[in-house]
């Protein structure tokens, strides 16, 4: 199943998705998140929205959602 999911990512987007997810996981670790829920994802996106452009938030949503 994991291989099938990985094949869904376009090759040139894969690095971006993986980097974005890695940053999200690091954020979760820093916040001591034990379970990733919709509320956790929304808190992450709300915090990031103060740091990046709105168009970047759309990309973050797609990247993080891909892994859940």
């Amino acid at each position: 199943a994991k291989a099938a999911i990985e094949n869904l990512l376009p090759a040139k987007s894969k690095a971006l998705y993986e980097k974005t997810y890695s940053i999200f996981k690091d954020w979760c670790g820093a916040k001591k998140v034990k379970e990733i829920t919709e509320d956790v994802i929304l808190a992450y996106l709300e915090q990031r929205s103060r740091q990046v452009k709105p168009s970047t938030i759309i990309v973050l949503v797609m990247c993080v959602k891909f892994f859940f």
Side-chain angles (χ1 to χ4, degrees):
K2 184 177 180 178
I5 290 171
E6 287 185 8
N7 289 334
L8 294 174
L9 281 175
K12 61 184 179 179
S13 300
K14 188 174 183 175
L16 171 65
Y17 275 64
E18 289 175 346
K19 179 179 178 184
T20 301
Y21 184 63
S22 177
I23 292 168
F24 172 69
K25 285 180 27 181
D26 291 345
W27 180 87
C28 287
K31 300 291 182 184
K32 298 184 181 4
V33 172
K34 295 183 191 246
E35 182 181 356
I36 297 173
T37 64
E38 186 175 324
D39 287 342
V40 170
I41 294 171
L42 289 173
Y44 172 72
L45 294 172
E46 192 277 328
Q47 181 178 335
R48 294 287 291 161
S49 72
R50 291 185 244 137
Q51 302 164 334
V52 298
K53 296 178 186 177
S55 58
T56 303
I57 292 298
I58 294 168
V59 173
L60 290 174
V61 169
M62 290 187 302
C63 292
V64 171
K65 248 179 113 173
F66 180 80
F67 290 97
F68 297 98

